[in-house]
Amino acid sequence: MSSTQGSDEGGAPEQLAFIRETVRRAKPRTWRGAKRAEHLPVARVVVDKGVLTIDKFFDYEVPAAMAEDARPGVRVRVRFGARVVKGQREGGELHDGFIVARLEKSDFPGPLAPLAQVLSPEPVLSPPLLRLCRTVADRYAGTLADVLQLAVPPRHAKAEAEPSPPPRPGPPAPAPGGWSRYPAGPDFLAALAGGGSPRAVWTALPGPGWPYEIARAVAATLAGGRGALVVLPDGRSVARVDRALTELLGEGMHAVLAADLGPRERYRRWLQVSRGSVHAAIGTRAAMFAPVHDLGLVVVWSDGDSSHSDPRAPHPHVREVALLRAAEEGAAVLLGGHVVTVEGAQLVRTGWARALGADRETVRRTAPRVRTVTDQDQHRDAAAQAARLPSVAWEAAREGLAAGGPVLIQVPRRGYVPRLACGRCRTPARCRRCEGPLEAAGADAPLCCQWCGEEERDWHCPECGSFRLRAQVVGARRTAEELGKAFPRVPVRTSGRDAVLTGVPDEPALVISTPGAEPVVEGGGGYAAALLLDGWALLSRPDLRAGEEALRLWLAAAALVRPAAEGGTVVVVAEPTARPVQALVRWDPLGHAGLELDERAQLHFPPVARMASVSGSPAAVADLLNLVRLPEEADVLGPVPVAALRGEEQERALLRVPPGQGAALAAALKAAQIARIALRTPEAVKVRIDPTDIG
């Protein structure tokens, strides 16, 4: 060995690399013939293999050497697909899994394969978390293994070896603080501090106070002796709530679970929650499964944000997981935001939750003044042609800069490009049968609905009667260039997908931002003005939620502006008669959500009805639709062509069922997928329950 090491300088590194690779590929020993555990010799395991046909538990024999460590909730390695040879199971591929139970005997008649390895004695899959993951998998027609991959982070041995600090005593019940601005706010906090489980849909007032109000709700829950979980849409919101909690409770009372922490640090903090060292956790989407002990409160901020829908199978939504957890564990719920989603309005209307908002006088005192400018006015305005701003907006920006504050200018992001809208009044072109968006495949092609596939050969605008169509939007970069020329010697800052600013100084500047990327004014002073440009581009998105999403983005930006009494002004360039624009002017998100809910009920669309989307190649979608056994009252919309994937033709169908049949729909789709696998159908079909975008 020594001669080999001294032969050249690269010998040692090559040997080390070989040793590492050998260790990495080393397989656990074979326990064939080993003595089995005397007490509870059978381990029931969920195998980390997300295939629908094996979405069940499997029994394994526990060797005596593993009897102490093989506890329910620990990670193990097992051999899957072993063969029976001379009365024993041999071979098979190694897979990770979790022990869910220890049993005295198995109901499987044949011989059991032994556990291959206990990866860690740390119990990471608690019974409540297992039940939640099973419920989520069934609701979204997925597998338990896929949900467990979302719920339990990968193991990091060094983090696991570190001891977690002992839990700190609970804080005293906090004063109402900002909750005193809401008539029911102090009572809500008192119920949390008393160990109760109130459920509320919270319409937050504009201004920088919402992180501190969430912090007080968490503190009240901890004071009542229970745990709290807060899920937010992005890292900037997490940082604001983290700061508020630290100011109110001090260090060590909560854990932040964010993806940018790195695998070791995030797992270390997750273990603190799992071990009960801290009883409050905050984070982004993945934190919805955080194993908080004795959960007493679940907070979801801005539940309409698309970031709350997981892009990985089976695509659970944070809001729905929160409601499932609250029902399972008897926890309080706080769905908060500057806007109320249609799902939130439905919870209020059914009595499952209560509306938690301020009175009109408080809203008027804290909200900025909102003015509207039509797009037609902008085209007739000479100032708009030169500076991309109507005179009203230009004047508001000039006055805001003169007052010594920054001015926010929101420009629809590049992705918000409407398919077709009226060329005169910008009303979206929609199907007369199902209200779906219309699109033309080519210059001479007829209009076709993207939801039901119906052709529309005689379209005209229902608002103004025009036959002209258009689709156009101007991006943030061009807007920044033009405004820089219109306001020389004023700093211009941009915040968007490439570089999102967390904050800007409280000094004169133009801040150009795409929706959702608006930075906060440092010091809590707020913007002097906000200009919301190209409102028609948001309203004309070919999506069922276009109006709700536009209002959410506008209110989020307007909430950063100073109150009207301090000169704060918001100018929105959109048709003043549009329902979201009127809701913005009146600052009435709950009323807007109620009207949207009424329309959804008439059209039998979510959340009044349950829906699933099925997408794939035309042959695969047709195959699945032929196999699926839908509930009697189910409707099938489509299939219709969708955007090609890697040059291959794709179609999508929407399946709709009445309320109360969502579980039957999910079970039917899952059974059809299993049947396709059994028939060895080669082409995959993507199934998504309750899709957030059906446009």
Side-chain angles (χ1 to χ4, degrees):
M1 181 180 292
S2 60
S3 61
T4 304
Q5 286 177 334
S7 60
D8 57 69
E9 295 181 358
E14 289 178 4
Q15 273 202 336
L16 289 174
F18 174 77
I19 292 171
R20 291 192 188 100
E21 186 66 16
T22 304
V23 172
R24 188 180 298 116
R25 292 180 179 179
K27 297 182 178 179
R29 60 170 292 186
T30 300
W31 293 91
R32 187 187 312 119
K35 182 180 178 181
R36 66 185 303 191
E38 296 182 359
H39 180 60
L40 301 177
V42 176
R44 185 151 287 172
V45 176
V46 53
V47 181
D48 190 7
K49 189 175 174 68
V51 180
L52 288 170
T53 53
I54 59 171
D55 187 26
K56 56 185 178 180
F57 299 141
F58 294 88
D59 290 347
Y60 287 84
E61 188 176 275
V62 181
M66 300 183 189
E68 185 177 347
D69 290 339
R71 297 176 294 163
V74 304
R75 306 175 198 255
V76 293
R77 298 203 82 189
V78 296
R79 293 188 180 275
F80 194 80
R83 298 172 299 170
V84 178
V85 179
K86 296 181 180 180
Q88 294 181 335
R89 288 198 173 270
E90 297 184 1
E93 296 181 354
L94 283 168
H95 288 278
D96 294 342
F98 300 90
I99 296 179
V100 299
R102 287 283 296 272
L103 308 172
E104 196 62 50
K105 63 179 182 179
S106 172
D107 53 6
F108 182 73
L112 300 179
L115 295 175
Q117 184 182 5
V118 176
L119 293 174
S120 165
E122 181 80 32
V124 294
L125 183 59
S126 63
L129 183 57
L130 175 62
R131 290 194 299 269
L132 174 66
C133 293
R134 179 72 269 172
T135 304
V136 171
D138 292 341
R139 188 190 193 284
Y140 288 95
T143 67
L144 177 59
D146 283 339
V147 180
L148 287 175
Q149 287 187 350
L150 304 177
V152 183
R155 177 176 180 255
H156 198 287
K158 290 184 178 180
E160 201 169 82
E162 299 177 10
S164 297
R168 296 177 58 183
W179 285 108
S180 59
R181 301 182 298 171
Y182 306 86
D187 291 339
F188 181 78
L189 283 193
L192 294 175
S197 301
R199 300 187 292 254
V201 175
W202 171 37
T203 308
L205 287 168
W210 64 265
Y212 298 91
E213 286 149 17
I214 290 178
R216 290 183 184 275
V218 171
T221 307
L222 297 180
R226 305 184 70 184
L229 173 63
V230 182
V231 187
L232 303 115
D234 52 59
R236 295 180 301 147
S237 300
V238 171
R240 295 179 68 183
V241 176
D242 176 34
R243 191 181 311 115
L245 278 169
T246 303
E247 292 178 10
L248 184 63
L249 301 177
E251 298 283 350
M253 292 296 292
H254 70 282
V256 177
L257 305 177
D260 58 358
L261 294 171
R264 177 176 178 177
E265 179 62 20
R266 187 178 187 278
Y267 188 52
R268 185 183 70 83
R269 298 187 184 188
W270 189 89
L271 286 175
Q272 289 181 353
V273 179
S274 178
R275 294 168 178 172
S277 294
V278 294
H279 290 84
I282 67 172
T284 49
R285 183 178 59 234
M288 62 182 162
F289 293 102
V292 177
H293 287 207
D294 192 13
L295 185 65
L297 172 67
V298 183
V299 181
V300 180
W301 173 256
S302 190
D303 63 295
D305 195 298
S306 60
S307 300
H308 284 310
S309 181
D310 203 303
R312 296 166 293 178
H315 315 290
H317 194 284
V318 166
R319 177 185 55 247
E320 305 309 318
V321 175
L323 299 182
L324 291 173
R325 289 196 72 171
E328 176 71 25
E329 303 184 45
V333 175
L334 182 62
L335 295 183
H338 295 299
V339 73
V340 177
T341 60
V342 177
E343 289 78 6
Q346 186 184 40
L347 294 176
V348 173
R349 183 170 294 183
T350 58
W352 193 90
R354 294 185 60 183
L356 181 55
D359 55 47
R360 295 304 305 171
E361 182 60 33
T362 304
V363 172
R364 284 192 290 268
R365 189 170 60 250
T366 56
R369 179 190 181 194
V370 180
R371 303 181 64 182
T372 61
V373 179
T374 68
D375 214 33
Q376 297 297 323
D377 294 336
Q378 183 179 6
H379 282 284
R380 289 193 296 264
D381 197 328
Q385 300 299 323
R388 184 147 152 65
L389 291 179
S391 295
V392 173
W394 189 90
E395 196 66 29
R398 186 184 65 81
E399 292 177 358
L401 294 172
V407 174
L408 175 65
I409 302 173
Q410 185 192 79
V411 182
R413 59 170 64 104
R414 186 176 181 181
Y416 287 123
V417 180
R419 288 178 180 144
L420 288 173
C422 174
R424 179 186 298 171
C425 68
R426 309 296 172 83
T427 299
R430 294 195 173 275
C431 174
R432 285 184 287 185
R433 176 189 175 195
C434 72
E435 287 294 311
L438 296 178
E439 182 176 346
D444 299 325
L447 300 180
C448 183
C449 177
Q450 295 303 291
W451 288 356
C452 67
E454 193 79 9
E455 287 189 1
E456 177 60 74
R457 296 184 176 275
D458 188 27
W459 180 89
H460 62 276
C461 178
E463 297 295 329
C464 67
S466 174
F467 290 86
R468 293 187 298 110
L469 294 165
R470 64 172 298 168
Q472 180 183 358
V473 68
V474 178
R477 182 173 299 178
R478 176 182 166 189
T479 300
E481 293 175 355
E482 294 176 351
L483 291 179
K485 298 175 183 177
F487 294 93
R489 296 183 299 278
V490 175
V492 178
R493 298 181 173 89
T494 59
S495 179
R497 181 179 58 183
D498 298 332
V500 178
L501 303 177
T502 58
V504 293
D506 191 2
E507 58 186 33
L510 295 174
V511 182
I512 317 296
S513 173
T514 54
E518 298 87 357
V520 178
V521 178
E522 297 168 356
Y527 288 95
L531 315 179
L532 311 177
L533 304 184
D534 295 334
W536 64 270
L538 291 176
L539 294 173
S540 302
R541 290 178 60 211
D543 187 8
L544 183 67
R545 300 178 181 270
E548 177 186 323
E549 178 69 359
L551 181 60
R552 184 184 71 81
L553 296 171
W554 288 340
L555 285 173
L560 302 174
V561 180
R562 301 169 184 172
E566 300 177 16
T569 302
V570 174
V571 178
V572 55
V573 181
E575 177 56 45
T577 59
R579 183 187 299 161
V581 178
Q582 286 297 306
L584 174 65
V585 173
R586 298 192 307 270
W587 208 280
D588 183 23
L590 184 59
H592 178 271
L595 293 174
E596 286 281 311
L597 183 61
D598 292 337
E599 283 196 355
R600 303 276 183 91
Q602 294 176 3
L603 297 171
H604 304 290
F605 276 150
V608 179
R610 295 290 303 279
M611 185 173 281
S613 68
V614 176
S615 58
S617 68
V621 171
D623 182 49
L624 180 66
L625 293 178
N626 288 332
L627 287 173
V628 69
R629 297 295 178 261
L630 295 172
E632 291 184 1
E633 299 182 52
D635 293 331
V636 179
L637 303 179
V640 296
V642 294
L645 180 65
R646 294 186 294 272
E648 300 177 0
E649 186 180 358
Q650 297 281 295
E651 284 188 350
R652 185 189 66 179
L654 296 175
L655 312 179
R656 181 174 60 189
V657 294
Q661 297 190 16
L665 174 63
L669 288 170
K670 188 172 182 177
Q673 288 280 63
I674 293 173
R676 295 187 74 247
I677 295 173
L679 295 172
R680 300 184 182 277
T681 308
E683 294 180 283
V685 174
K686 181 179 179 181
V687 174
R688 188 157 188 173
I689 304 294
D690 294 337
T692 56
D693 180 7
I694 63 174

